Amino acid sequence: MRLRINRIALVQELRVEHVLGQLVEYGVVSEDDVKKINAGSTPADKARVLVDLLPNKGQHIDWYRAFREALQNPDAGQDVKKRYKILVDFLDNTVIHRPTSQHGNFSDLQSPRHDTLKLPRYNPLPSITADGQAQNVLNIEEERKKEEEKVLREIEETEEQHYTMWDGKFEKTNDAVTLVKGYFQQWIPTPDNFRSLLSVIINYYHTSKEVPEEHFRKLEKSTDSDDKEQLEQEKLVLERIKKLELVTVLARRKLLPVGFELCMCDIVQTIFQEPEHYHLYFKYLKSLEANDVNLLQDIVSSFYSVLKSNNKVARNSESVKQFTILAFYLIDFMTEYGYYTDAEKVMSVLMSFLSESHHLDIWMTKYRGYVKLMHLRNRNYDFYGASQAYQAAVEMTWQIKLMSFGMDIIDEGELHSELSHMMLELGSINPAFSWSQRALKEMKASDKALIVNTLCNAVMTYCAKWQVKRAEKLAIYAVQFAKQNFGVRNPLYLKALLHLCHFSTEFIQDESSLQLANYALSTAMKIYCCDTIELALSHRAVSKALMVLQKVDTEKYFYRSCDALRIAEKILTKNHPMLYLFLHTSASALQWKAFHANKETQDATLRLAETEGRKALELVLQHYGEVSLRTAQMYALLGQVYSKMDR
């Protein structure tokens, strides 16, 4: 129905060469289909063949989602992408009342029977112009938008003027009404007493470490092209997070239509579908959390509500796919944000939801879910839970491989990488090394993010195995690959840098190690601009490099270790096993400080080092056991401290 209603616009504007490659890759269009399409004499003919061909693919192929994604990411320039964005909006905003979605999920009122039989009301088609040329549908839409903007301006002129601090003067707000889109779209009046907390935080508390105004000023003044690009992304993200904040307020005040779900809102979907921008939202979410506004928790609650409503309706394959895609997006976002426990809860709910269905088309989804669950538990240092997720994933691989096509569709590279990571953390170096090698051989070339993660894990296993030359090549390649595919302002690039820092500090130990660590720290500050575990790890890398080079004259090594521990304690729970990393570095720094201190402060500093070391030892004993490499590491450090204390 969406393609039929928007058929004229699609035929006029679409160029098949921009989307065919992706459709072939997704398995939606076959080689025979490509020949039929290319047989068209004009671009419009080719587009017409494609539009008519897609609906005949049947329900076993998710052709509509693939076509929509192809329109969002065409093989073309920015101008074409902007025009295709209009086509996607046309498709998304086509209101189709379906019994299992629109009416069943979002309305408590039973519509009269005769209303359900009426066709939607449309404006009459434009008349043919005198020169005989058809009018462009997109131009018609632009005229309609101009008319809407005119009405909005009239509404805004009647609103009160509100004070803002962006330019220090009075200005008219643009928030008289807000367009809220989900399964439906509707203009909603903005509450009169609504003021964005983000504007207050950014403008009045610009000295805050959460959202510093200085960050934007530095990006504006910089001549670096990467800074300019990040500035544009920051502006876009700020507008989106403000829209999300406003929609959340409307939902909390019950000003939205009955049945509206925040997680299905267009702004939430837009945020989730751009993983490369996830990190830019963190500083705003943290600032709002500091003001007792947890947008992420509201989205999770909405997700559970959607799950509950889906339990009441028939579970067709399309609804399961939509719900699963939403769940994976939400889990990925929470994982990047550091909400490992909450993300694991969402994943557990999703797996319970999927376990009630035994269709073949969700077997791969279950497998991906178990692998992701293992990833979450590894990051949360729940290795017993990770091993359970691994067993469940292996059972799914057996089921899939029993099918004739199973070997062709399953990819175990990520599973092997997660197993290697778990083995390394538990001290089983030889198995970790073997599984890491296998993961490197089996990883998919198309999944760029997985390649970076697999390379980083391999660096750690090769370092533990003392394969120094190979570890160095992998670490350097990981940085080069991340830079080429994601740019220098991406968390994956920072992750690769930190693993190169680890190698350099352990094996190179020269001035370049310190320069690399300082560069990683400055990169982390520009990427996140707020307290994150990655920033804490960057501070720790600088502290370790300074201590290795014995640059103890300025005590920067000590202050960096303090910053790392402060951030980690702020983000992680009290007994989180990852704290031992920062406690170990802090105790080492205190030991160095005591060694170069005068007699009056030496004993007190060593006692502080002992306290930090004992805390770290308690953590590793609790989570790794009495016999482990981590435990041995802490005993060795405490032994050094006690020797300096003559104990």
Side-chain angles (χ1 to χ4, degrees):
M1 286 301 297
R2 295 181 190 277
L3 262 62
R4 286 178 183 174
I5 293 172
N6 299 286
R7 191 170 186 273
I8 297 175
L10 290 169
V11 170
Q12 285 186 352
E13 296 298 323
L14 181 62
R15 296 295 178 266
V16 295
E17 60 268 19
H18 296 157
V19 298
L20 267 185
Q22 295 183 58
L23 293 176
V24 171
E25 182 180 344
Y26 292 144
V28 173
V29 175
S30 65
E31 294 298 330
D32 291 338
D33 295 333
V34 173
K35 292 179 181 178
K36 293 178 183 177
I37 294 168
N38 289 330
S41 58
T42 65
D45 288 339
K46 295 178 181 179
R48 188 178 296 107
V49 174
L50 175 62
V51 171
D52 292 340
L53 182 146
L54 288 174
N56 296 323
K57 289 297 178 180
Q59 296 183 355
H60 64 286
I61 297 178
D62 193 1
W63 59 266
Y64 177 75
R65 189 168 299 281
F67 179 60
R68 185 180 180 280
E69 290 181 4
L71 287 176
Q72 285 185 309
N73 303 286
D75 298 330
Q78 290 298 323
D79 292 339
V80 175
K81 288 183 179 180
K82 289 180 181 178
R83 298 190 69 80
Y84 282 9
K85 178 66 169 62
I86 298 174
L87 292 177
V88 173
D89 287 340
F90 277 12
L91 294 172
D92 291 347
N93 296 334
T94 302
V95 180
I96 301 174
H97 297 271
R98 292 177 295 178
T100 58
S101 61
Q102 179 77 0
H103 176 71
N105 289 341
F106 298 105
S107 178
D108 292 336
L109 302 176
Q110 295 295 329
S111 299
R113 182 176 180 83
H114 64 274
D115 285 345
T116 60
L117 298 177
K118 286 184 178 180
L119 291 173
R121 180 178 179 275
Y122 296 101
N123 293 325
L125 291 173
S127 58
I128 299 176
T129 56
D131 57 3
Q133 297 296 322
Q135 283 186 269
N136 191 315
V137 177
L138 298 185
N139 293 336
I140 299 171
E141 177 66 13
E142 290 172 4
E143 292 175 5
R144 185 183 65 80
K145 288 184 178 179
K146 289 179 181 178
E147 185 65 26
E148 286 183 356
E149 291 172 0
K150 180 181 177 182
V151 175
L152 283 178
R153 283 195 297 270
E154 293 174 357
I155 296 174
E156 290 164 12
E157 288 171 359
T158 62
E159 292 289 313
E160 286 186 349
Q161 292 181 337
H162 300 305
Y163 186 67
T164 63
M165 287 292 293
W166 285 106
D167 51 6
K169 62 183 180 181
F170 286 96
E171 65 176 20
K172 296 176 183 178
T173 64
N174 293 323
D175 298 325
V177 293
T178 302
L179 178 63
V180 178
K181 294 188 290 187
Y183 279 123
F184 46 78
Q185 62 176 353
Q186 185 168 340
W187 289 99
I188 305 294
T190 302
D192 293 336
N193 59 347
F194 172 74
R195 298 293 181 273
S196 172
L197 285 174
L198 289 171
S199 297
V200 173
I201 293 167
I202 293 172
N203 293 298
Y204 286 100
Y205 301 102
H206 56 270
T207 58
S208 167
K209 292 184 179 180
E210 298 296 340
V211 189
E213 192 178 67
E214 190 64 27
H215 172 62
F216 290 93
R217 291 177 180 170
K218 286 181 179 178
L219 292 176
E220 287 176 350
K221 293 179 180 178
S222 174
T223 57
D224 189 349
S225 59
D226 293 319
D227 288 338
K228 295 297 183 185
E229 182 179 354
Q230 182 174 349
L231 179 61
E232 294 303 315
Q233 294 173 352
E234 292 276 9
K235 291 178 179 178
L236 179 63
V237 163
L238 180 57
E239 291 304 314
R240 287 177 178 171
I241 200 71
K242 281 185 176 181
K243 174 74 177 294
L244 175 60
E245 181 194 16
L246 175 56
V247 175
T248 305
V249 169
L250 293 172
R252 285 184 174 184
R253 298 188 185 185
K254 301 187 184 303
L255 298 176
L256 294 174
V258 175
F260 174 86
E261 291 297 348
L262 182 63
C263 65
M264 303 303 296
C265 180
D266 69 315
I267 189 62
V268 174
Q269 299 294 317
T270 300
I271 291 173
F272 282 173
Q273 290 172 14
E274 295 183 348
E276 66 275 12
H277 293 158
Y278 281 177
H279 58 284
L280 299 177
Y281 292 96
F282 295 167
K283 52 184 170 291
Y284 304 115
L285 293 174
K286 288 180 179 293
S287 297
L288 290 170
E289 282 182 14
N291 287 270
D292 298 323
V293 177
N294 194 327
L295 297 185
L296 197 52
Q297 192 60 49
D298 287 344
I299 295 173
V300 174
S301 299
S302 174
F303 170 81
Y304 288 140
S305 177
V306 171
L307 173 63
K308 188 176 181 181
S309 66
N310 270 277
N311 282 330
K312 297 178 181 178
V313 299
R315 297 189 180 191
N316 55 54
S317 58
E318 183 63 26
S319 64
V320 171
K321 283 181 181 178
Q322 291 180 358
F323 181 75
T324 304
I325 290 171
L326 170 64
F328 275 114
Y329 277 138
L330 178 58
I331 290 164
D332 288 341
F333 189 88
M334 296 174 75
T335 303
E336 287 295 317
Y337 193 54
Y339 276 26
Y340 300 126
T341 303
D342 292 329
E344 183 180 336
K345 290 178 182 177
V346 174
M347 177 56 75
S348 299
V349 169
L350 173 63
M351 297 312 295
S352 298
F353 176 78
L354 294 176
S355 64
E356 298 179 15
S357 177
H358 302 286
H359 294 298
L360 295 179
D361 56 351
I362 66 169
W363 281 13
M364 280 301 298
T365 304
K366 287 183 180 179
Y367 170 74
R368 286 177 52 227
Y370 286 126
V371 174
K372 196 171 287 291
L373 187 60
M374 185 182 182
H375 170 79
L376 290 170
R377 289 174 175 172
N378 273 337
R379 297 306 175 272
N380 214 20
Y381 289 75
D382 177 13
F383 301 120
Y384 176 74
S387 64
Q388 289 181 317
Y390 173 74
Q391 292 298 330
V394 170
E395 289 179 8
M396 286 306 306
T397 61
W398 292 343
Q399 292 184 37
I400 295 170
K401 288 181 178 179
L402 286 175
M403 307 299 294
S404 59
F405 53 85
M407 294 296 294
D408 298 328
I409 64 173
I410 196 164
D411 171 49
E412 299 181 84
E414 186 175 3
L415 181 63
H416 296 332
S417 181
E418 291 298 333
L419 180 60
S420 171
H421 176 87
M422 183 180 72
M423 290 291 185
L424 185 61
E425 284 293 329
L426 294 175
S428 302
I429 295 178
N430 286 333
F433 180 70
S434 299
W435 286 112
S436 176
Q437 287 182 309
R438 189 168 174 182
L440 287 172
K441 293 177 182 178
E442 296 186 11
M443 61 184 178
K444 292 172 61 177
S446 58
D447 194 338
K448 308 298 183 184
L450 178 59
I451 291 176
V452 175
N453 290 324
T454 305
L455 287 170
C456 289
N457 180 72
V459 171
M460 300 302 292
T461 57
Y462 276 81
C463 285
K465 190 70 174 173
W466 281 74
Q467 300 281 337
V468 180
K469 291 294 184 182
R470 182 65 171 164
E472 181 178 18
K473 290 180 180 179
L474 287 171
I476 293 173
Y477 180 66
V479 174
Q480 293 173 340
F481 185 87
K483 180 179 180 180
Q484 179 182 355
N485 290 278
F486 299 99
V488 297
R489 298 298 165 78
N490 188 280
L492 286 171
Y493 177 69
L494 175 61
K495 182 176 183 177
L497 274 179
L498 289 173
H499 281 77
L500 182 57
C501 287
H502 171 79
F503 167 81
S504 185
T505 303
E506 293 291 325
F507 298 105
I508 305 300
Q509 299 183 350
D510 60 6
E511 194 66 30
S512 65
S513 302
L514 178 58
Q515 293 175 359
L516 182 63
N518 281 320
Y519 174 65
L521 178 59
S522 64
T523 302
M525 289 178 173
K526 286 184 177 181
I527 288 176
Y528 291 103
C529 195
C530 66
D531 289 340
T532 63
I533 284 296
E534 288 76 11
L535 182 60
L537 290 171
S538 301
H539 281 294
R540 177 174 176 266
V542 175
S543 177
K544 287 180 63 180
L546 286 167
M547 286 188 283
V548 164
L549 295 176
Q550 299 186 15
K551 291 182 177 290
V552 295
D553 49 341
T554 62
E555 293 191 353
K556 285 184 178 179
Y557 67 95
F558 173 68
Y559 297 125
R560 292 302 182 196
S561 68
C562 289
D563 286 337
L565 182 59
R566 172 187 61 80
I567 295 172
E569 288 181 333
K570 177 181 177 182
I571 295 173
L572 301 174
T573 56
K574 183 178 180 181
N575 293 321
H576 197 285
M578 193 177 186
L579 275 176
Y580 92 89
L581 288 172
F582 305 98
L583 288 168
H584 181 277
T585 306
S586 178
S588 300
L590 285 165
Q591 180 191 199
W592 272 98
K593 186 178 181 182
F595 186 73
H596 294 86
N598 54 42
K599 289 293 183 182
E600 290 76 13
T601 60
Q602 189 175 53
D603 290 341
T605 306
L606 284 172
R607 283 196 295 272
L608 285 174
E610 179 195 7
T611 302
E612 302 286 79
R614 303 262 346 150
K615 287 181 183 177
L617 179 60
E618 290 174 5
L619 283 175
V620 296
L621 285 173
Q622 178 183 350
H623 294 281
Y624 291 93
E626 179 67 34
V627 181
S628 71
L629 292 176
R630 305 296 188 197
T631 310
Q633 185 183 29
M634 295 316 306
Y635 277 130
L637 176 60
L638 281 171
Q640 294 172 14
V641 173
Y642 286 139
S643 68
K644 291 182 174 60
M645 298 173 73
D646 295 329
R647 289 171 59 186

